[in-house]
Amino acid sequence: MPSEAWCRALAIALLVLVAAAPAYAVQPEEMLPDPALEARARTVGQELRCLVCRNQSIDDSDAGLAHDLRVLVRHRLTAGDSNDEVIAYIRSRYGDFVLLRPPFEPGTALLWGGPALILLLGAVAIARFYRRPVEVPATALSAEEEGQLAAIIGASEGSER
């Protein structure tokens, strides 16, 4: 059986590998020589969704399309575009879906309000379920049951005295 120290070292190594996985997405040949421009490219890259992975930014994705978008972002920044201009350019080509945080507009209102609406509907359904009166069917006791009940009541009254 492995020692506790060996297991701990293995767990730490696995955590480091898992935490560092997104760091391998941006390839060294993609990086800009100017650190300020590269920092801006990373900032813009964190705002844009990978259209293949759908739950990662282009900065975190290894997909080919994410690579192409990272190169496009760096090309536009090198050409002199501002961060907002780069995002607007890519948004004009791919739509709001490419944004990790889409703007609140009439077309995206359900996207922003959907989770709250679902929670509200669930709360209303639960409240209605528990507020419903419990209906106990009233049935008459048979003669045998009335006799048993009278015996129980009589026995309990006799023991209380």
Side-chain angles (χ1 to χ4, degrees):
M1 190 162 174
S3 70
E4 186 177 327
W6 186 84
C7 288
R8 190 176 305 138
L10 181 62
I12 290 172
L14 287 173
L15 284 174
V16 167
L17 285 174
V18 169
Y24 295 117
V26 177
Q27 302 298 318
E29 64 270 5
E30 295 175 19
M31 297 175 78
L32 297 171
D34 181 10
L37 273 180
E38 180 60 28
R40 285 181 53 206
R42 292 290 182 112
T43 301
V44 171
Q46 288 297 322
E47 297 291 320
L48 300 172
R49 176 189 318 272
C50 173
L51 298 170
V52 175
C53 305
R54 298 185 182 206
N55 63 346
Q56 289 181 318
S57 70
I58 63 169
D59 231 25
D60 297 335
S61 174
D62 289 329
L65 180 59
H67 165 75
D68 295 343
L69 288 173
R70 287 192 302 266
V71 169
L72 179 61
V73 164
R74 283 161 174 77
H75 174 73
R76 300 291 296 194
L77 289 174
T78 305
D81 288 358
S82 70
N83 293 6
D84 291 336
E85 289 172 335
V86 172
I87 291 172
Y89 176 76
I90 293 177
R91 183 179 176 197
S92 71
R93 294 180 79 189
Y94 295 100
D96 284 339
F97 186 74
V98 77
L99 301 176
L100 277 173
R101 285 178 270 160
F104 186 80
E105 296 173 345
T108 60
L110 188 59
L111 175 70
W112 284 100
L117 183 63
I118 289 171
L119 284 173
L120 181 65
L121 290 174
V124 167
I126 289 171
R128 289 190 66 193
F129 178 77
Y130 283 109
R131 293 182 131 224
R132 223 176 17 189
V134 178
E135 296 179 18
V136 178
T139 57
L141 296 177
S142 66
E144 181 183 336
E145 291 171 334
E146 284 183 12
Q148 289 175 348
L149 181 61
I152 293 172
I153 292 175
S156 67
E157 285 178 357
S159 64
E160 289 179 8
R161 292 183 189 176

